[in-house]
Amino acid sequence: MSCKKAVAGIAILGMGLLYPDLSQANGLRTSFGKVALENVPMGVEYSMQKDSQFPLVIENNSDNVVEIKIEVLAPEGGEVQEGYEPIPSVDWIKLEKTSFMIEPNGKAQTDVVINIPYKKEYLGRKFHVFIWSHTIGESLGLGIRSKLLFSVGEATK
C-alpha cells in the first residue's frame, strides 16, 4: 500500500460521517446540509469526494437554468455550533469548482478538500465552517448554507 493510500485509509477509519442532512431552498437542494467529521488528520489534504465518497452536490429543482456560486464562510457570533469554534482560516477549505450553470432538474458536484495546517495546537479541537451555495444574476436570489463541522485528529507527519 502506498503512503498516500495508507494516509487515506487512516483518515477513513478515524472519520465518521455523523449526520449529513438534507437542506433546500426553493429550487435548490443538497444532502450536504449538515456534515460532521471526526478526527480529520492535519498536515494532509482530506478530500470529501475521495476519502469519504461524499462530495458536495447541488440540485436545481426549478424549471429554469440557474447560475450557482459556492463560497466558504467562517461563522460569526451566534452562528457557531455549540461545542465548536469558528474555523481559524477559510483557506483550510478548498472547493474543486466554485461556480456552475445547472440545467432545470439538473445537478452539479464539487469536491470539498480540508487541509488543516500541521500544528499541535489544533489537535483535538472542533471547528465549524459554512459552505454557501447561491444563485447569482437572479432578481430573487436563492441560497443554501451547508454546515461543515469537524474535529482534528492525529497528525500524519
Side-chain angles (χ1 to χ4, degrees), residues 112-147:
V112 176
V113 178
I114 304 169
N115 194 349
I116 305 162
Y118 182 80
K119 292 186 178 178
K120 293 206 183 269
E121 66 196 65
Y122 296 136
L123 185 60
R125 291 170 64 186
K126 296 180 174 185
F127 296 106
H128 175 178
V129 66
F130 286 118
I131 299 174
W132 184 37
S133 306
H134 59 95
T135 58
I136 57 175
E138 301 284 324
S139 58
L140 175 63
L142 302 173
I144 300 171
R145 279 197 325 175
S146 300
K147 186 182 287 188

Side-chain angles (χ1 to χ4, degrees), residues 32 46-48 56 93-95 110-114 131 148:
F32 205 103
Y46 183 87
S47 164
M48 293 293 297
L56 171 63
I93 309 296
K94 298 289 184 217
L95 303 169
T110 190
D111 192 8
V112 176
V113 178
I114 304 169
I131 299 174
L148 176 58

